[in-house]
Amino acid sequence: MTKFHAIIPAAGSGARMGAEVPKQYLKLNGKPLIQHVIHTFEQSASIQSVHVLLSPNDRYWAALDISLGSKTTLHTCGGTTRAETVLNGLNAIKSIEGTDWVLVHDAARPGLNQAMLNLLIESLGDDEVGGLLALPLADTLKLADATQRAQKTIPREQLWQAQTPQMFKLAILRDALASFHGVPTDEAQAIESIGLQPKLVRGALRNLKVTYPEDLTVLNALITE
């Protein structure tokens, strides 16, 4: 039987947010962002296990008093980059088979809901490669120089904004991350580097990643709506 597992890297500091705590611990509707994410995966009948990857130096988790379900496990294997954290997690988790699907999802992306999660799994469950949630770009893009002068307009017709979860077979993703030269910006880039083409599954605006302070206000409005 095909199995699906959630991987939540949560070892980052969220420097661009400028907050006193890492952004995954900021609150939305009274709960930390990461708690919303964990709850979504715990409530999914398709997800067999949930794995939260924390920094070994995390000083915040213990104070949150988050009640975890039976399918969720904490791992203090975070690295200096997201890619390193994910790879460390894949190597540390022994309960997942190499042919199982893993869904890597940002801890600061709490707008994911069951409809999006189900769509991703249904769209990719029989796919040879895997893929990710993403949104077609709507805005006009400009290429700037060092002085912030627009050099040219970039056609947006084939451009998509990557989201998460990003869903791949464990063994393939582990090998792609281990062999990547440099630091991939996401799991899909590592998969692309070994010659595979991840499938893009349309996500939703509410699945935005909280990066800047104003994102919390926007996200709260989208979820409320």
Side-chain angles (χ1 to χ4, degrees):
M1 182 181 70
T2 303
K3 294 183 178 180
F4 305 89
H5 308 268
I7 307 290
I8 306 171
S13 62
R16 286 178 291 181
M17 192 70 186
E20 294 182 357
V21 299
K23 59 187 177 183
Q24 61 267 28
Y25 298 132
L26 296 174
K27 292 188 176 181
L28 177 68
N29 295 335
K31 297 180 180 179
L33 302 183
I34 192 171
Q35 186 172 358
H36 290 277
V37 171
I38 293 171
H39 180 76
T40 298
F41 285 110
E42 286 185 336
Q43 293 301 304
S44 171
S46 299
I47 299 296
Q48 274 70 42
S49 67
V50 182
H51 301 269
V52 181
L53 313 182
L54 302 178
S55 167
N57 302 315
D58 189 289
R59 299 183 290 108
Y60 305 96
W61 175 271
L64 295 178
D65 192 29
I66 295 178
S67 178
L68 299 177
S70 60
K71 66 169 69 173
T72 300
T73 304
L74 297 181
H75 305 268
T76 53
C77 60
T80 57
T81 66
R82 172 200 171 91
E84 184 179 348
T85 295
V86 173
L87 181 57
N88 288 349
L90 297 179
N91 287 327
I93 301 167
K94 305 302 182 184
S95 59
I96 304 179
E97 299 292 334
T99 54
D100 287 354
W101 290 101
V102 293
L103 288 78
V104 183
H105 186 66
D106 296 323
R109 206 181 281 270
L112 180 71
N113 58 23
Q114 296 300 324
M116 282 184 274
L117 183 54
N118 291 338
L119 176 62
L120 183 70
I121 291 174
E122 292 168 4
S123 300
L124 301 177
D126 295 323
D127 196 83
E128 294 183 356
V129 177
L132 61 150
L133 289 180
L135 275 181
L137 285 181
D139 294 331
T140 297
L141 298 180
K142 300 292 184 181
L143 180 66
D145 62 14
T147 65
Q148 297 185 11
R149 296 284 183 178
Q151 298 301 293
K152 65 177 181 179
T153 299
I154 301 175
R156 63 172 184 254
E157 284 73 18
Q158 292 180 296
L159 297 180
W160 291 59
Q161 179 180 350
Q163 296 185 334
T164 66
Q166 303 202 0
M167 175 175 150
F168 303 102
K169 295 291 182 70
L170 182 144
I172 295 175
L173 178 57
R174 181 178 57 205
D175 292 346
L177 288 170
S179 63
F180 193 88
H181 298 292
V183 180
T185 59
D186 63 2
E187 292 70 43
Q189 185 181 13
I191 294 294
E192 293 159 15
S193 74
I194 60 174
L196 300 178
Q197 295 179 308
K199 183 177 179 62
L200 302 176
V201 178
R202 188 175 184 124
L205 184 58
R206 62 171 282 157
N207 192 31
L208 64 85
K209 183 178 181 180
V210 174
T211 304
Y212 301 103
E214 58 267 27
D215 292 339
L216 279 172
T217 302
V218 173
L219 182 58
N220 184 62
L222 289 170
I223 290 178
T224 301
E225 182 180 284

